[in-house]
Amino acid sequence: MWGGRFASGPAEIMEEINASIDFDKRLARQDIQGSLAHAAMLAETGILSHQDVAAISDGLKAVGAEIENGTFTFSRALEDIHMNVESRLKDIVGPVAGRLHTARSRNDQVATDMRLWVRDTIDSLDVQLHDLQSAFAEKAETFAGAVMPGFTHLQSAQPVTFGHHLLAYVEMLARDRGRLADARRRLNECPLGAAALAGTSFPIDREMTARALGFDRPTANSLDSVSDRDFALEILSAAAICAVHLSRFAEEITLWMTPQFAFVNLSDKFTTGSSIMPQKKNPDAAELVRGKSGRIFGALQGLLVVMKGLPLTYSKDMQEDKEGVFDALQTLSLCIAAMAGMVRDLEPDVKSMKRWAGAGFSTATDLADWLVRVLEMPFRDAHHVTGRLVALAASRKTGLEKLSLSDMQEVEPRITQEIFAVLGVERSVKSRLSYGGTAPANVRKQAKRWIAKLAREAAKGRA
């Protein structure tokens, strides 16, 4: 493609390090999509004849069909997807294929292809996250009243419900979807027409091309158009945060499945055994989601390092954006699908969770609140009194509810028999009626709200 300047071909190792077709061939559909829009614009503006563009367009569709059905032969000697497509186009339509590259460069071409691919992938990930939210919300509604321990520092803190715990992840995933939507909105500008870096002298219509490709507008600065990879960094950042959320729940599943917790169970669909220990049932799907998050974090860090020292505009370093983005988003998609399957498969052990919900003096805050509410004690004083009662119960290796009224009155004489009404875990969770609290009535309402909202989104998407 640059034979006029170079007298010989590249060294073998240069071809090895330079070629990107092994991974950027997944941009084939977007590359042809962009080329069809570019060709149509060239005809409309009179830069190319309608006859030439008709032949080019038919040829591009034929190339696309070959790639789709698996009969296309990719060549590493042609470096990338752009030259592979153009070379095959020439085989099909002849020398007129060379006119397609008028008023564009591979620099604006690849920037456009990548934006199209990332945009398509965001749309697919949003559908998956919607499904995962639905799985969490449906399970939360079913177990809205199932009491379990709530933890801080992985120590028993206060009783909550299993449904409330699951709804926390619905909220996290909503933010993930919001970040993806924000990233999509910002990337939806079309670089095509920026050419190599300075624009072009041909009378192109960039608005037409942008509209044809579903972009909101063309990019405003040709230098930024070809050198920007913010959209890739932003989608990787959003993916990394989402992976954190998936990994946190995967960690909880792993903990909860241990005999020491015994809170939940996964079926054989999402667990494996041991080659030596016949009793084992390992939560490997959860562990792999937890582990694969590292690949996504690494892709973000890798691209940040690639981009941090590049002067404007395009440098070949930027070819390193693709493998990380492709792998990270494919990995995220796999993890979301696996997590949706696990959430639907997950069976909580309601009795075990309830048994442990009261461990670690988890109703101590309820006791302190009663002192404030009934005895009108300042909270700091109530905190001190409750702490003394916890210490007394701990010294006797018993729970707060097992202390006698006389024991309690030795610490605070005004305590009455009514105190025992707030020390049960079910009473505790039912009392948490503040907005966003764990009361089963709240959880059912929030779960129903999310289920209805997600159903409306699904219906709107199908319309």
Side-chain angles (χ1 to χ4, degrees):
M1 76 191 86
W2 43 67
R5 172 67 177 85
F6 288 72
S8 63
E12 184 177 345
I13 192 63
M14 176 59 185
E15 182 176 305
E16 183 68 24
I17 196 173
N18 193 45
S20 60
I21 189 59
D22 292 343
F23 50 85
D24 70 14
K25 61 186 177 185
R26 72 172 63 198
L27 295 173
R29 184 170 65 83
Q30 288 79 17
D31 193 68
I32 290 171
Q33 183 183 1
S35 290
L36 286 168
H38 183 66
M41 180 274 296
L42 292 176
E44 190 66 24
T45 54
I47 297 171
L48 295 186
S49 71
H50 285 280
Q51 181 179 357
D52 284 350
V53 168
I56 288 170
S57 297
D58 289 344
L60 284 169
K61 292 172 185 175
V63 174
E66 290 181 3
I67 294 172
E68 186 70 25
N69 63 33
T71 61
F72 188 93
T73 301
F74 293 98
S75 168
R76 298 188 88 236
L78 292 169
E79 288 191 13
D80 56 32
I81 186 60
H82 321 299
M83 298 312 300
N84 270 264
V85 169
E86 187 174 321
S87 176
R88 180 60 183 144
L89 179 64
K90 184 177 180 181
D91 293 340
I92 295 172
V93 303
V96 70
R99 297 185 183 278
L100 175 61
H101 210 53
T102 304
R104 78 174 183 186
S105 161
R106 285 191 298 174
N107 293 356
D108 61 337
Q109 189 178 356
V110 70
T112 303
D113 290 359
M114 277 295 286
R115 284 180 186 242
L116 288 171
W117 188 90
V118 169
R119 191 178 69 185
D120 290 344
T121 302
I122 286 174
D123 293 342
S124 296
L125 289 172
D126 185 70
V127 171
Q128 286 190 279
L129 288 170
H130 176 280
D131 179 63
L132 180 53
Q133 281 185 295
S134 296
F136 272 116
E138 289 160 9
K139 187 77 73 172
E141 183 182 27
T142 301
F143 294 99
V147 182
M148 69 175 292
F151 299 99
T152 62
H153 309 278
L154 204 56
Q155 304 292 312
S156 292
Q158 293 177 271
V160 296
T161 69
F162 189 60
H164 193 56
H165 195 108
L166 297 179
L167 285 179
Y169 286 93
V170 179
E171 298 290 338
M172 293 181 214
L173 295 170
R175 295 193 295 274
D176 290 326
R177 293 180 65 197
R179 276 182 282 270
L180 291 177
D182 288 344
R184 191 191 195 283
R185 188 161 47 250
R186 268 185 289 279
L187 73 78
N188 208 35
E189 297 182 348
C190 184
L192 203 57
L197 76 160
T200 177
S201 59
F202 289 96
I204 62 173
D205 185 345
R206 293 190 64 205
E207 293 281 355
M208 177 184 172
T209 311
R211 285 194 303 272
L213 293 173
F215 288 108
D216 295 330
R217 64 191 69 84
T219 50
N221 182 284
S222 61
L223 299 174
D224 181 56
S225 300
V226 298
S227 64
D228 168 51
R229 290 299 182 271
D230 286 4
F231 66 91
L233 290 168
E234 191 165 2
I235 185 62
L236 287 177
S237 179
I241 296 171
C242 183
V244 168
H245 296 153
L246 299 180
S247 184
R248 292 182 75 177
F249 193 65
E251 168 69 2
E252 291 187 316
I253 291 174
T254 304
L255 282 172
W256 292 346
M257 281 191 66
T258 62
Q260 291 76 15
F261 274 81
F263 286 179
V264 300
N265 186 51
L266 284 174
S267 76
D268 295 350
K269 295 177 183 178
F270 294 96
T271 55
T272 65
S274 165
S275 62
I276 189 173
M277 295 170 285
Q279 83 281 9
K280 293 298 291 297
K281 188 175 185 181
N282 300 321
D284 281 9
E287 291 173 11
L288 286 166
V289 168
R290 186 178 60 188
K292 287 180 182 295
S293 63
R295 292 171 63 167
I296 299 170
F297 307 155
L300 171 60
Q301 183 63 27
L303 186 55
L304 285 168
V305 172
V306 166
M307 296 300 298
K308 73 173 181 63
L310 297 185
L312 297 181
T313 55
Y314 182 82
S315 295
K316 195 70 170 182
D317 314 49
M318 292 165 66
Q319 182 170 289
E320 292 299 306
D321 64 344
K322 296 173 190 61
E323 286 181 283
V325 170
F326 294 156
D327 182 73
L329 299 189
Q330 180 180 2
T331 298
L332 181 62
S333 175
L334 177 62
C335 289
I336 295 170
M339 186 58 76
M342 282 187 283
V343 171
R344 289 192 168 97
D345 186 70
L346 204 64
E347 286 297 328
D349 186 329
V350 175
K351 289 183 179 178
S352 179
M353 289 194 301
K354 183 177 179 181
R355 182 169 64 251
W356 287 107
F361 311 105
S362 66
T363 57
T365 306
D366 297 276
L367 193 157
D369 288 346
W370 184 90
L371 296 173
V372 172
R373 187 172 57 253
V374 177
L375 302 185
E376 298 183 351
M377 188 179 292
F379 182 79
R380 284 301 165 203
D381 294 343
H383 187 285
H384 179 73
V385 168
T386 302
R388 290 180 61 193
L389 289 170
V390 167
L392 177 61
S395 70
R396 297 183 180 180
K397 295 183 170 52
T398 190
L400 283 171
E401 72 282 0
K402 297 294 179 63
L403 291 175
S404 68
L405 179 60
S406 60
D407 289 335
M408 292 192 179
Q409 289 176 337
E410 285 183 14
V411 175
E412 172 49 61
R414 292 179 294 164
I415 291 177
T416 69
Q417 189 70 30
E418 293 177 18
I419 192 69
F420 294 100
V422 303
L423 296 181
V425 292
E426 288 187 333
R427 291 190 182 95
S428 175
V429 296
K430 286 179 181 178
S431 72
R432 305 295 171 179
L433 287 165
S434 59
Y435 181 77
T438 192
N442 285 7
V443 175
R444 290 189 186 93
K445 184 177 180 180
Q446 289 282 22
K448 288 179 185 297
R449 179 182 69 83
W450 270 113
I451 290 168
K453 175 179 167 57
L454 293 165
R456 287 194 300 271
E457 287 180 1
K460 184 178 179 182
R462 289 191 296 267

